[in-house]
């Protein structure tokens, strides 16, 4: 199985490796939505999850496989028959299924299962053979390949090819390698391993040293024809190769990298925003391609050049990635038709009942803000989506703050359909409000991150608040936006608590471990 020399296959692992980022766990419906968006934008392969990991993962991979229109649906499996069988049971429903099996081959990783080189080689042969007997599309990965001895790496790659692997993925699992090494390793494997000409070589890079995109593109130069990546570079530690970066790099620099992908780049901004919303990981302002400042110009020299010729300081057009120019046409006098049209332009196609709910919130926002920017509407939509089936909802927030402390907060929450109220003090209005929430929803989670960023300009701007919490190894994130920073903070905190409930349930514990105190 060979790939055209100028075609690079895009393998997205947002739903698997991306979701492994601490706190980035997505719900079942969110996974299905992201998979649908990936499929629609032309991603070749979607790694939908790790089916053996949990019943929830299996169900998500299985349903994604059933719903996929064009993309190959892949599941991950360790090097054992049970994992592989479970993976096949999940992906076999797809029009184009793939089994991805892996084992750590570096000295450090061989020590984990306590296998010597020969024993590991035998396991690779047996498990890849088993996978190929189930599915004719099998990917094999030697985890931590870039720190595996060359002779042994070449040996096990040959074994996997002979056992029936159709794609050989070379992971830089800890983000250790450099671009010149990445290219040389792929080039040497293709040149020296028997049977290499019959398979596709793939690259899977992590960003620990900030070189994931560079390493991936270098691997393509070395002969790799599949790039593994995630939306926004989401992933463990410093993340994975960012899909939007490699796709746009190949598109913009076709003069030195004459390769194409099947990705519809105008859909990049919409999926970036959606992944940021459901994962709770906001995109940094200066993030390449999809960051808020990616097409912003403040320097006078830059602005003057842009007015005369956009190509002076822009190597790609905002519309190439699906970014429309922010406008100020929306306000409190705008009607439903105008709102529907604007939301559709931003990538939100709403049914009548959804539009009715959003319109109420839009009018409330318009009463508080003079001008409604596109980013305000996006924040509003993301907030709407986050509060759908939550067990805990914020009804009322009132704080007293100033130079004379302690600050006070009164909170009313609806918990499983019943209203509960609480009062508390704290070191500042946010601390007081969080204490009031905790009085109603006792927990032992530790607040790891509290971050505030303005959605747009002005003193009436919406504040997007992100919180990250950890309890017994479970990490959850929450986000919300409001013109009132304290209200936004409380909603983000409650959003994280709702996710904690879901994580507890997924961990097999009764969600009722969070006890609700009736405060009147």
């Amino acid at each position: 199985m060979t790939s055209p020399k100028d075609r690079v296959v895009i393998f997205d692992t947002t739903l698997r490796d991306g979701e492994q980022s601490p706190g980035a766990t997505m719900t079942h419906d969110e996974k299905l939505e992201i998979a649908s968006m990936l499929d629609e934008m032309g991603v070749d392969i979607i790694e939908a999850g790790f089916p053996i990991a949990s019943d929830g993962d299996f169900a998500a991979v299985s349903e994604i496989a059933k719903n996929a229109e064009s993309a190959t649906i892949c599941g991950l499996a360790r090097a054992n028959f049970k994992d592989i069988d479970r993976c096949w049971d999940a992906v076999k429903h797809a029009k184009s299924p793939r089994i991805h099996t892996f084992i750590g081959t570096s000295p450090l990783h061989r020590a984990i299962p306590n296998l010597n080189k020969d024993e590991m080689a035998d396991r690779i042969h047996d498990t890849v053979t088993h996978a190929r007997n189930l599915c004719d599309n099998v990917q094999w990965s030697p985890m931590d390949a870039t720190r595996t001895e060359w002779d042994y790496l070449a040996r096990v790659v040959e074994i996997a090819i002979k056992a029936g692997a159709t794609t050989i993925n070379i992971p830089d699992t800890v983000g250790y390698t450099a671009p010149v090494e990445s290219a040389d390793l792929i080039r040497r494997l293709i040149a020296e391993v028997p049977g290499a000409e019959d398979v596709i070589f793939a690259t899977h890079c992590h960003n620990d040293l900030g070189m994931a995109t560079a390493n991936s593109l270098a691997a393509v130069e070395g002969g790799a024809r599949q790039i593994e990546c995630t939306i926004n570079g989401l992933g463990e530690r410093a993340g994975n190769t960012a899909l939007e970066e490699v796709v746009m790099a190949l598109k913009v620099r076709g003069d030195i990298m004459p390769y194409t992908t099947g990705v519809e780049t105008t859909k990049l901004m919409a999926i970036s925003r959606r992944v940021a919303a459901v994962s709770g990981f906001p995109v940094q302002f200066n993030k390449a391609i999809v960051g808020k400042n990616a097409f912003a110009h403040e320097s006078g020299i830059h602005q003057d050049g842009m007015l005369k010729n956009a190509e002076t300081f822009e190597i790609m057009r905002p519309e190439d990635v699906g970014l429309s120019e922010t406008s100020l046409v929306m306000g409190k006098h705008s009607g439903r038709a105008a709102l529907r049209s604007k939301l559709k332009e931003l990538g939100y196609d709403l049914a009548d009942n959804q539009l009715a709910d959003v319109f109420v919130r839009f009018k409330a926002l318009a009463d508080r803000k003079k001008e409604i920017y596109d980013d305000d509407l996006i924040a509003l939509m993301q907030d709407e989506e986050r509060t759908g089936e939550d067990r805990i909802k914020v009804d009322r927030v009132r704080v007293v703050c100033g130079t004379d402390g302690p600050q006070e907060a009164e909170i009313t929450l609806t918990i499983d359909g019943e209203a509960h109220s609480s009062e508390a003090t704290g070191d500042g209005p946010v601390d007081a409000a969080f204490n009031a929430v905790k009085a109603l929803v006792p927990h032992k989670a530790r607040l790891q991150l509290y971050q505030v960023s303005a959605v747009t300009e002005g003193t009436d701007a919406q504040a997007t608040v992100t919180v990250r919490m950890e309890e017994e190894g479970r990490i959850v994130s929450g986000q919300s936006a409001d013109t009132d920073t304290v209200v936004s903070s409380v909603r983000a905190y409650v959003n994280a608590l709702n996710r904690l409930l879901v994580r507890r349930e997924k961990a097999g514990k009764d969600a009722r471990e969070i006890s609700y105190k009736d405060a009147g």
Side-chain angles (χ1 to χ4, degrees):
M1 178 173 141
T2 58
S3 175
K5 291 183 179 180
D6 64 347
R7 178 69 158 84
V8 173
V9 171
I10 298 299
F11 177 113
D12 183 274
T13 184
T14 302
L15 299 175
R16 202 278 300 169
D17 207 342
E19 203 210 10
Q20 289 177 202
S21 184
T25 301
M26 304 175 197
T27 67
H28 179 85
D29 289 343
E30 288 168 348
K31 289 181 181 180
L32 266 56
E33 180 186 2
I34 297 301
S36 177
M37 295 178 76
L38 290 168
D39 194 11
E40 186 179 336
M41 75 185 289
V43 164
D44 298 285
I45 303 153
I46 300 170
E47 188 165 53
F50 197 171
I52 197 72
S54 69
D55 290 341
D57 248 33
F58 178 88
V61 175
S62 181
E63 192 160 351
I64 289 169
K66 292 173 184 175
N67 295 336
E69 292 294 331
S70 303
T72 293
I73 303 303
C74 176
L76 186 67
R78 292 167 299 187
N80 65 67
F81 288 6
K82 184 178 179 181
D83 271 40
I84 292 169
D85 288 342
R86 184 71 166 165
C87 180
W88 174 243
D89 284 343
V91 302
K92 66 183 180 182
H93 307 288
K95 296 175 182 176
S96 174
R98 174 182 288 193
I99 294 174
H100 177 194
T101 183
F102 74 98
I103 194 167
T105 56
S106 69
L108 287 169
H109 283 266
R110 290 199 300 269
I112 296 173
N114 196 27
L115 297 175
N116 62 38
K117 290 182 177 180
D118 291 337
E119 290 169 336
M120 180 167 284
D122 289 340
R123 178 175 293 189
I124 292 166
H125 172 271
D126 293 345
T127 52
V128 173
T129 298
H130 182 67
R132 184 56 193 267
N133 286 336
L134 296 172
C135 181
D136 63 5
N137 188 342
V138 174
Q139 175 170 313
W140 178 74
S141 294
M143 187 166 63
D144 206 18
T146 55
R147 295 194 298 173
T148 299
E149 309 96 315
W150 162 254
D151 289 345
Y152 190 63
L153 179 63
R155 175 186 171 190
V156 292
V157 167
E158 181 181 357
I159 288 171
I161 292 173
K162 288 182 177 178
T166 51
T167 297
I168 300 295
N169 177 47
I170 303 300
D172 183 27
T173 304
V174 293
Y176 177 74
T177 199
V180 65
E181 296 171 315
S182 181
D184 287 346
L185 182 57
I186 297 292
R187 190 176 293 116
R188 190 176 179 188
L189 286 168
I190 292 173
E192 299 184 26
V193 174
E197 68 279 2
D198 297 322
V199 301
I200 292 175
F201 275 83
T203 180
H204 177 111
C205 301
H206 282 259
N207 205 39
D208 297 73
L209 294 177
M211 294 189 286
T213 294
N215 282 331
S216 296
L217 295 173
V220 170
E221 186 64 27
R225 289 297 178 267
Q226 175 180 299
I227 295 176
E228 303 206 355
C229 45
T230 63
I231 300 298
N232 298 338
L234 190 66
E236 291 187 272
R237 306 186 311 279
N240 292 271
T241 300
L243 181 149
E244 62 277 4
E245 292 178 13
V246 292
V247 167
M248 290 307 295
L250 292 174
K251 181 172 182 175
V252 172
R253 293 309 311 272
D255 56 329
I256 61 170
M257 295 181 287
Y259 312 108
T260 62
T261 73
V263 173
E264 175 52 63
T265 63
T266 59
K267 298 182 182 295
L268 288 172
M269 189 61 70
I271 195 168
S272 169
R273 289 165 171 163
R274 192 66 190 120
V275 168
V278 302
S279 67
F281 277 62
V283 177
Q284 67 194 60
F285 281 14
N286 64 335
K287 168 75 172 66
I289 315 300
V290 293
K292 186 175 181 179
N293 291 350
F295 295 94
H297 304 272
E298 186 169 336
S299 161
I301 295 174
H302 284 216
Q303 290 174 342
D304 182 62
M306 284 295 296
L307 290 171
K308 292 173 180 175
N309 185 345
E311 292 183 6
T312 307
F313 289 104
E314 283 188 354
I315 59 174
M316 53 194 150
R317 301 174 304 167
E319 54 265 35
D320 289 341
V321 299
L323 183 65
S324 60
E325 184 178 355
T326 299
S327 60
L328 308 177
V329 298
M330 302 301 293
K332 63 181 181 180
H333 299 298
S334 299
R336 295 192 187 200
L339 178 62
R340 183 194 291 276
S341 176
K342 173 56 72 174
L343 289 175
K344 190 169 185 178
E345 178 185 322
L346 295 174
Y348 300 95
D349 196 358
L350 304 185
D352 289 343
N353 59 333
Q354 292 175 301
L355 181 66
D357 292 338
V358 172
F359 188 69
V360 172
R361 294 192 63 181
F362 164 72
K363 283 294 188 180
L365 178 61
D367 283 338
R368 288 180 287 162
K369 280 181 62 61
K370 296 177 182 178
E371 298 164 334
I372 306 296
Y373 295 81
D374 289 357
D375 284 342
D376 286 314
L377 293 175
I378 291 165
L380 184 149
M381 286 301 303
Q382 291 173 346
D383 223 30
E384 180 78 14
E385 290 158 345
R386 275 189 288 265
T387 58
E389 300 298 325
D390 288 345
R391 292 177 57 186
I392 312 168
K393 297 184 180 181
V394 179
D395 286 339
R396 179 176 177 272
V397 177
R398 181 178 180 274
V399 297
V400 178
C401 60
T403 55
D404 299 326
Q407 284 69 41
E408 303 172 0
E410 299 176 9
I411 300 287
T412 300
L413 304 177
T414 295
I415 303 170
D416 289 335
E418 295 185 9
H420 302 266
S421 298
S422 176
E423 298 180 9
T425 60
D427 184 13
V430 173
D431 185 51
F434 284 9
N435 287 339
V437 172
K438 194 170 182 178
L440 294 175
V441 189
H443 60 83
K444 297 180 180 179
R446 181 175 64 89
L447 186 65
Q448 289 187 330
L449 171 74
Y450 172 77
Q451 179 177 301
V452 182
S453 58
V455 174
T456 51
E457 303 84 7
T459 56
D460 63 350
Q462 289 196 91
T464 292
V465 176
T466 302
V467 301
R468 189 171 302 146
M469 303 164 67
E470 183 271 333
E471 181 188 68
E472 298 179 359
R474 291 185 290 271
I475 300 176
V476 293
S477 298
Q479 259 190 348
S480 187
D482 195 273
T483 54
D484 187 314
T485 304
V486 177
V487 172
S488 182
S489 300
V490 173
R491 286 177 175 161
Y493 190 68
V494 168
N495 179 238
L497 288 176
N498 278 302
R499 286 179 173 267
L500 185 61
L501 285 175
V502 174
R503 290 295 300 274
R504 284 181 169 186
E505 290 170 348
K506 288 183 69 173
K509 292 189 175 183
D510 190 340
R512 286 174 296 180
E513 286 180 3
I514 287 187
S515 58
Y516 301 133
K517 178 180 177 183
D518 187 352

